Amino acid sequence: MNAIKKIPAWLGYTILFAVITSTFAFMFSLTNTSLIWSLDGIAQHYPILVSFHDMLIHFVQHPLQGFTHWSWNIGMGADQLTSFSYYVVGDLFNYLIVFFPKNQIELGYGLLVLLRLYCAGLAFMLFAKQFHFKKYSLVISALTYTFGSYALYAGLHHAFFILPLIFFPLLALGIEKIIHNQSIVPLLLATLITFLSNFYFAYILGLGCLIYVIIRYFSVRNASLFNLKKSFIRLLTAILGGITLSAILLIPTVLYAIKSTRITNTFANGYLTYPVSYYLNLPGKILGLGGAFNFWLLIGISGFSFLAVIYTFTHFKRYQALNTGLIIAMIGILIPAFSSVFNAMAAPSNRWASLILLPIGLATAILSDHLTDLTKRDLGIFAISSVGLVSLIWLCNGFIFKVHRHDFAEYMLLFILLGVLFIAKFYHWKTQTLISSVLLLVTLNLISLGIGFYSPDSSGYSKGMLNKDVAQNYTQNYYNGAEKFVKPKLGHYRTTIGPKYHYFPDTRDNFINTDFFNAASNLPMILGTHDIASYLTVENGFVGNLERLVQNNQFTQNDPVAQNDYRSTLESFFGVKYMFVRSDKAHKDLPYGFKLVRDHHDPKLFKNASNVPSDKYAVGTVLAKNKNALPLMFTQTKIINDKAFTKLSANNKEQVMLQAANVAKSISGISNLNYHSQLKHLNYKVKFDTKQLITNQKMLDKSDFADKTNHATSPNFHYASETQIQNILQQNQKIVTKLQKQNHDGLHYLTKDALGKPIPTTIKIANPAKTKNAELYLELDGIKGSYASKNSLNQIKANNNELTNKSETKFEKLNLFRKNISTYNNGSFILQANAKGMSNAVTQLGTDELSNYLPKQHALINLGYSKNARKQIELKYSGVDALHFKHARVIAVPFDAKYDATIKQNQQNGLTNIKTKANQITGTSHNEKKSILTTSIPYSAGWKLTIDGKAAPTQSVNKAFVGAVIPAGKHHIKLNYQTPGLMLGKIISMLSLFIILITSLILWYFKKDKK
């Protein structure tokens, strides 16, 4: 025992960390899964880490070429430094990936997750050590801090989300050092690595530290050694020193982020309070997995930590500062506005709640220190609180103990822990026995919590993790090998994927946007196919602005371009030369200008050689080549200024860019375009299929309800009265009348019948001939959804019961009540439009969608190009009771000889001898007169232009891309790139380092002289 006492706390933590993680490893081994999530893990984080690995290798081999470059493989093209700063560049752990060969990055990915987790516990231990806790208390609290639900979920889904668990204790440690008149260096270094790592986390942690400082001020302000003025100056010095040292990365990142697609919508997504179900789920989330995962709320602490919080609250005055922090956190969890402020004034995401683990960890250490002197009163309060928690969960679930099945283990371990504490008190256990028992139970509790997340027997999270070795195989087979055919022929052009190319309903059927959005992915960036899409938290705001102006139906903040909604002109304008198409979709109509690449008569097929995701989807890939793809750089002799451009419709904005470059103001010597729209607005009639809509007794007699109405079909049967039947029929009659009245002059209103079924709707086009050789669009303005109230839903169910001879028992009514209070309407819906050759939809994500929520009052739905006439558009919708529209237009965009001539002219005006390097692109222009250089290179102030070696100004053209005025004649064009703000950041960082070194030497000298 004496030998065990000599084991340092960090070593004890390390041993138990290895024990706990080895059980997790065993579970992952049994399920043959990796630590890479099948959604954002493989689509976002893994390919970025592979790209970063390549960046590091290139830098090691060619250090003189620098570390930051413009990459042509990130979507349309982007700065590697600022694009990756949110993920990998500032995360020091990721630099270790350079020691792994490229075929072992999956292994490196997993090991780095574990390393971050391990360091989180060490960081907490370093912070807690200054409060002079006992060694075993440090071990217990560090383990519970490390293996809470936040780390177990977030860390294994978004590896870098573990970083706040490392940085917050280090920042708090630095603050404590200053409060106690010690060195400012710990806070300076903690601030430096925080601001280098991730600007988003720096913002959250900054607010957390502000609250920490305020709380600590009120607890130490009367201490004899505390000097407010001195502490404030030293605190400010350390923070400013850390921030200025990080300027080399911080300034370029912030400059990029503030102009990105991270647009802020309604504060807190419009929530004043969370839905009732959120609050009802809160008690169940304290110890285990809890109910539905929404608003990013993860608590899931150990039973011991729960008792620790109870302990500090029952000794409130003694731990007043700690309890104040816990109370603020508890209140914050209840208020959407609080979470929104922590989430940069955006959606009400509770990611900030990871900060709560610090005070909970301290409370855990406090209880550990007082294990041997717990009173009967303490134990009684523990018992009452535990029973109270379980009772509260029972109450919030409608008087049934409905919890996640694995959470029973957490409650069982809590009561076993209580039993141990009671037995130890009344039987006077030795200290070593009590501590060993508690440590064993805490370890088992944390193991159980992890298994609860990743055992297929207890949750669905395991199914979300990729199988081992799948990441590399999936990458290699992403295009079924078709990229090997494309890349040698691609040049400076780009690619995209066809509808539902990576659509796997068996794994993504819970996502409302799955059917009409391809799964966003960064995998193309490591395959070198120049896919126009990229899946990043911070995307180019200029490109995003253009996509919103032309109303790209696929736009999201994380993936603003996507596949341009397969719009023919946008695809060509963005330089898309090849489209990868699933072989089972090859019969579908392609955008104008695209034709399948053929082997003799049949489409050239690249067979699926992978078993990802399953044999059920073992289709291959065919290629479509676009004859209309425009060059990366070409010149135009006409312009259209912002004043004229803004007045155009979304379709016309798209079309006018082929004829003229949009610039801010008119330019002397270049003529303005007198644009004439070729769009055709088509007349139509709205028709409703009322065959299944029961409006009279005769239709009821012929319906499926007829037999059920005349026969008892369940023990709870009853016969509906004539009055009840007539009420239902009259409801449907009124619905039909209202539909016909409101839609007589166009589409304005869609609704369900009295039984809750959507009424099939068709838009009949008056002159189908106008849709020949054209792209068809459905444009909707003033979209507004109406959602059924709880009473309406109850009435719909009652109507169905009436027609099926069924009456609800009181128990069934109770269950319906439970369901109604535990569910909420998040405002999501999907409106699908089907025309011959293409199906598309407008999808409104719900207000609880925290990354991509964007209210859609307008939509422009592309229904594809066809040579043949299309007579109608079929509409379907779900997720909403009724839809309202101010205007609905059917638009045909013709593709004729004039269009082809414009395309050909732009292609002929392409710069010749185009050559690209990491930060440079060159070419030669040939113009008979002054013109505008038009590119599809995303605009950035970092691009600098020279014409024949002389500097010339650039400007944004078409709202999104790099452009410039080019004189008449033959000219050598060169564009060089440097990350905006990088030089300024370097200067500030170097000056800051110099000032810190000089100041440190001066202080050291005077301190030495004084001694």
Side-chain angles (χ1 to χ4, degrees):
M1 181 59 70
N2 290 331
I4 295 176
K5 288 182 179 180
K6 293 180 181 179
I7 295 177
W10 70 266
L11 183 56
Y13 164 75
T14 302
I15 293 170
L16 289 175
F17 178 90
V19 170
I20 293 171
T21 53
S22 66
T23 61
F24 296 166
F26 180 65
M27 176 58 62
F28 277 82
S29 175
L30 288 176
T31 57
N32 194 38
T33 49
S34 68
L35 297 186
I36 299 178
W37 189 24
S38 62
L39 296 181
D40 284 1
I42 186 63
Q44 199 171 35
H45 308 312
Y46 174 78
I48 289 174
L49 189 61
V50 173
S51 296
F52 188 64
H53 176 273
D54 294 342
M55 285 174 62
L56 292 172
I57 295 296
H58 183 270
F59 179 71
V60 170
Q61 295 173 346
H62 309 283
L64 296 179
Q65 294 184 14
F67 186 64
T68 176
H69 299 285
W70 180 269
S71 172
W72 300 101
N73 287 320
I74 304 176
M76 298 288 294
D79 183 293
Q80 287 179 316
L81 181 72
T82 50
S83 294
F84 290 172
S85 62
Y86 183 81
Y87 302 93
V88 291
V89 175
D91 183 350
L92 300 179
F93 292 96
N94 283 318
Y95 289 83
L96 298 175
I97 201 66
V98 75
F99 297 108
F100 292 84
K102 195 163 184 176
N103 62 353
Q104 293 297 320
I105 291 180
E106 180 180 319
L107 173 64
Y109 183 102
L111 291 177
L112 291 180
V113 170
L114 296 179
L115 181 60
R116 290 185 186 91
L117 273 176
Y118 176 69
C119 290
L122 288 183
F124 175 81
M125 189 175 289
L126 188 64
F127 163 70
K129 192 174 181 180
Q130 67 187 313
F131 297 107
H132 309 294
F133 292 118
K134 297 171 184 177
K135 285 196 293 185
Y136 67 82
S137 299
L138 290 174
V139 173
I140 291 173
S141 58
L143 289 172
T144 56
Y145 177 83
T146 303
F147 293 106
S149 286
Y150 175 86
L152 290 172
Y153 175 84
L156 273 65
H157 287 78
H158 308 274
F160 61 100
F161 276 28
I162 302 172
L163 295 179
L165 297 181
I166 301 172
F167 298 153
F168 194 39
L170 297 179
L171 290 165
L173 173 64
I175 293 169
E176 290 294 332
K177 294 289 186 184
I178 290 176
I179 288 174
H180 293 92
N181 295 313
Q182 297 175 16
S183 174
I184 69 170
V185 174
L187 181 58
L188 187 147
L189 293 177
T191 304
L192 170 62
I193 61 173
T194 299
F195 275 86
L196 281 175
S197 69
N198 185 289
F199 64 91
Y200 173 67
F201 291 145
Y203 172 82
I204 292 175
L205 291 168
L207 291 179
C209 287
L210 178 62
I211 294 173
Y212 185 94
V213 167
I214 293 171
I215 292 172
R216 289 295 283 141
Y217 164 72
F218 284 103
S219 63
V220 302
R221 58 180 173 169
N222 296 322
S224 57
L225 295 177
F226 178 72
N227 184 301
L228 176 60
K229 184 177 179 180
K230 182 180 177 182
S231 295
F232 178 77
I233 293 173
R234 297 175 77 239
L235 188 72
L236 193 62
T237 301
I239 294 171
L240 290 177
I243 292 174
T244 53
L245 281 173
S246 69
I248 188 171
L249 182 56
L250 179 63
I251 288 181
T253 300
V254 170
L255 288 176
Y256 184 55
I258 60 178
K259 294 181 179 179
S260 72
T261 55
R262 283 283 120 199
I263 53 177
T264 302
N265 298 303
T266 307
F267 179 71
N269 285 11
Y271 285 105
L272 293 177
T273 60
Y274 289 111
V276 173
S277 60
Y278 172 89
Y279 299 107
L280 294 177
N281 280 331
L282 271 176
K285 287 183 175 291
I286 293 175
L287 292 187
L289 279 67
F293 173 63
N294 53 9
F295 298 100
W296 251 96
L297 182 62
L298 291 162
I299 304 175
I301 57 177
S302 68
F304 188 82
S305 294
F306 168 71
L307 297 181
V309 172
I310 301 300
Y311 181 82
T312 60
F313 272 117
T314 53
H315 300 78
F316 196 89
K317 289 186 178 180
R318 186 175 180 182
Y319 307 108
Q320 189 168 354
L322 177 63
N323 290 327
T324 301
L326 288 170
I327 289 171
I328 291 172
M330 290 174 183
I331 294 172
I333 286 175
L334 302 176
I335 305 173
F338 189 93
S339 297
S340 184
V341 169
F342 266 88
N343 197 35
M345 305 296 173
S349 170
N350 283 295
R351 289 174 184 153
W352 67 270
S354 61
L355 306 184
I356 304 174
L357 294 176
L358 187 74
I360 291 176
L362 287 177
T364 304
I366 289 169
L367 177 58
S368 299
D369 260 14
H370 291 87
L371 275 175
T372 56
D373 53 26
L374 293 174
T375 65
K376 293 180 181 179
R377 175 179 176 273
D378 292 329
L379 295 176
I381 292 173
F382 287 169
I384 293 171
S385 300
S386 300
V387 172
L389 175 63
V390 173
S391 300
L392 186 59
I393 294 170
W394 172 73
L395 176 65
C396 289
N397 280 286
F399 308 104
I400 54 174
F401 199 58
K402 182 182 178 183
V403 296
H404 195 284
R405 56 185 173 183
H406 189 78
D407 287 355
F408 283 103
E410 310 304 316
Y411 300 118
M412 179 184 71
L413 288 168
L414 171 63
F415 285 103
I416 290 174
L417 175 63
L418 275 174
V420 167
L421 295 179
F422 270 96
I423 293 170
K425 179 68 178 178
F426 290 105
Y427 288 91
H428 307 290
W429 279 10
K430 292 181 179 180
T431 301
Q432 294 90 339
T433 305
L434 173 59
I435 293 168
S436 300
S437 300
V438 169
L439 188 57
L440 175 62
L441 281 172
V442 168
T443 303
L444 289 174
N445 194 169
L446 298 176
I447 290 172
S448 173
L449 191 59
I451 291 175
F453 270 95
Y454 295 107
S455 168
D457 289 337
S458 60
S459 82
Y461 289 114
S462 175
K463 297 177 182 178
M465 309 306 289
L466 286 180
N467 287 343
K468 290 179 181 177
D469 302 321
V470 161
Q472 185 175 352
N473 293 332
Y474 182 50
T475 303
Q476 292 172 349
N477 292 283
Y478 187 77
Y479 293 114
N480 300 323
E483 77 280 2
K484 296 174 183 176
F485 175 87
V486 167
K487 286 169 65 176
K489 300 173 175 60
L490 196 56
H492 304 105
Y493 291 92
R494 300 186 176 94
T495 69
T496 190
I497 53 179
K500 298 187 180 181
Y501 183 72
H502 279 289
Y503 167 63
F504 310 129
D506 58 335
T507 57
R508 297 182 63 90
D509 58 1
N510 292 324
F511 293 79
I512 192 171
N513 63 338
T514 300
D515 286 341
F516 301 97
F517 283 25
N518 274 300
S521 178
N522 287 323
L523 283 172
M525 76 171 56
I526 58 179
L527 295 172
T529 55
H530 299 176
D531 190 295
I532 59 174
S534 55
Y535 183 32
L536 301 167
T537 294
V538 182
E539 294 273 8
N540 186 289
F542 291 94
V543 175
N545 187 39
L546 173 63
E547 296 292 353
R548 288 195 295 272
L549 286 172
V550 299
Q551 293 187 28
N552 176 4
N553 191 45
Q554 290 182 317
F555 173 89
T556 64
Q557 291 96 316
N558 288 347
D559 189 7
V561 177
Q563 290 76 48
N564 271 326
D565 207 26
Y566 316 106
R567 288 159 65 165
S568 301
T569 299
L570 280 182
E571 302 286 39
S572 296
F573 194 85
F574 280 45
V576 174
K577 190 174 183 178
Y578 286 98
M579 179 182 286
F580 298 94
V581 182
R582 277 173 54 136
S583 57
D584 61 340
K585 306 291 182 186
H587 63 282
K588 297 290 185 181
D589 288 334
L590 296 167
Y592 180 70
F594 285 80
K595 289 188 177 181
L596 293 180
V597 176
R598 297 183 177 273
D599 268 339
H600 303 294
H601 299 290
D602 296 323
K604 187 174 182 63
L605 176 65
F606 299 85
K607 293 183 179 180
N608 178 16
S610 169
N611 62 350
V612 181
S614 69
D615 293 337
K616 181 180 177 182
Y617 301 101
V619 297
T621 295
V622 294
L623 291 169
K625 185 178 180 180
N626 182 16
K627 69 176 182 178
N628 292 331
L630 297 184
L632 183 64
M633 299 194 294
F634 61 97
T635 57
Q636 291 177 288
T637 56
K638 300 278 187 180
I639 61 172
I640 179 169
N641 60 38
D642 278 349
K643 185 177 181 181
F645 187 78
T646 304
K647 294 178 180 178
L648 298 177
S649 68
N651 282 119
N652 278 317
K653 285 185 175 78
E654 176 185 4
Q655 298 304 315
V656 78
M657 291 188 297
L658 293 179
Q659 302 178 35
N662 165 234
V663 294
K665 298 179 181 179
S666 298
I667 299 171
S668 175
I670 302 179
S671 58
N672 289 288
L673 175 71
N674 184 18
Y675 178 69
H676 297 285
S677 175
Q678 300 298 309
L679 271 57
K680 300 174 182 177
H681 289 78
L682 309 179
N683 294 325
Y684 65 89
K685 292 289 185 181
V686 182
K687 301 293 183 182
F688 298 97
D689 184 359
T690 57
K691 294 178 182 177
Q692 302 300 319
L693 185 62
I694 304 171
T695 57
N696 56 58
Q697 187 66 47
K698 184 177 180 181
M699 295 178 70
L700 179 60
D701 292 340
K702 293 181 179 180
S703 72
D704 293 337
F705 293 107
D707 289 338
K708 298 175 183 178
T709 305
N710 295 310
H711 298 86
T713 57
S714 81
N716 301 320
F717 74 91
H718 79 288
Y719 291 107
S721 69
E722 182 67 23
T723 301
Q724 291 169 327
I725 295 294
Q726 287 304 314
N727 284 338
I728 297 171
L729 298 179
Q730 287 173 11
Q731 284 181 50
N732 278 337
Q733 289 168 4
K734 290 179 180 178
I735 289 170
V736 171
T737 302
K738 186 175 181 180
L739 283 172
Q740 292 173 344
K741 181 179 179 181
Q742 296 207 11
N743 296 288
H744 76 281
D745 62 344
L747 181 66
H748 293 287
Y749 179 62
L750 297 174
T751 193
K752 297 179 179 179
D753 66 13
L755 301 174
K757 296 179 181 179
I759 301 169
T761 306
T762 302
I763 292 175
K764 297 284 187 179
I765 298 172
N767 191 347
K770 291 184 178 181
T771 67
K772 288 184 177 180
N773 300 308
E775 206 162 46
L776 190 63
Y777 288 87
L778 176 61
E779 184 181 50
L780 303 170
D781 288 328
I783 304 171
K784 185 178 179 181
S786 296
Y787 300 88
S789 65
K790 303 296 185 193
N791 288 336
S792 297
L793 292 173
N794 291 340
Q795 183 61 54
I796 288 171
K797 187 161 188 179
N799 288 346
N800 279 278
N801 288 340
E802 296 292 348
L803 298 186
T804 53
N805 274 337
K806 187 172 184 278
S807 63
E808 289 187 324
T809 63
K810 292 180 180 180
F811 187 79
E812 288 173 325
K813 290 180 179 179
L814 176 61
N815 277 336
L816 180 61
F817 173 75
R818 288 171 177 152
K819 181 181 178 182
N820 284 343
I821 63 172
S822 64
T823 57
Y824 64 95
N825 165 46
N826 64 0
S828 63
F829 65 81
I830 182 167
L831 172 63
Q832 180 179 341
N834 303 315
K836 186 178 180 181
M838 187 169 180
S839 296
N840 208 340
V842 53
T843 55
Q844 173 64 69
L845 300 180
T847 49
D848 53 0
E849 165 59 46
L850 303 181
S851 294
N852 285 312
Y853 171 68
L854 191 66
K856 292 189 176 181
Q857 284 87 33
H858 311 280
L860 185 61
I861 306 174
N862 176 26
L863 295 171
Y865 167 81
S866 178
K867 292 181 179 180
N868 303 314
R870 283 173 282 184
K871 299 179 180 179
Q872 63 186 34
I873 301 170
E874 296 176 353
L875 300 179
K876 299 177 183 178
Y877 70 95
S878 59
V880 66
D881 188 55
L883 282 169
H884 305 262
F885 314 98
K886 285 186 178 178
H887 303 286
R889 304 175 185 88
V890 178
I891 302 169
V893 179
F895 294 96
D896 50 21
K898 184 178 180 180
Y899 180 91
D900 292 341
T902 304
I903 289 286
K904 188 174 182 180
Q905 182 65 44
N906 288 329
Q907 290 174 333
Q908 290 174 347
N909 288 340
L911 271 62
T912 57
N913 301 317
I914 294 178
K915 296 179 181 178
T916 58
K917 297 180 181 179
N919 288 319
Q920 187 182 94
I921 180 167
T922 59
T924 303
S925 67
H926 306 267
N927 306 308
E928 294 182 358
K929 52 185 178 180
K930 189 176 181 181
S931 59
I932 285 287
L933 173 67
T934 303
T935 76
S936 55
I937 303 169
Y939 181 79
S940 167
W943 285 108
K944 303 301 179 185
L945 172 68
T946 61
I947 302 175
D948 299 328
K950 296 180 181 180
T954 63
Q955 61 179 294
S956 170
V957 298
N958 298 319
K959 304 297 181 188
F961 304 116
V962 178
V965 178
I966 305 295
K970 180 178 179 181
H971 299 285
H972 181 68
I973 307 298
K974 181 189 289 185
L975 282 166
N976 287 304
Y977 180 79
Q978 185 180 62
T979 305
L982 182 62
M983 184 57 66
L984 176 61
K986 286 180 180 178
I987 293 171
I988 293 174
S989 291
M990 294 301 294
L991 281 174
S992 179
L993 180 61
F994 177 76
I995 292 170
I996 289 171
L997 289 175
I998 294 299
T999 305
S1000 299
L1001 286 172
I1002 293 172
L1003 291 174
W1004 173 80
Y1005 176 80
F1006 281 106
K1007 187 176 181 181
K1008 180 182 178 184
D1009 187 59
K1010 187 176 181 180
K1011 286 183 178 180

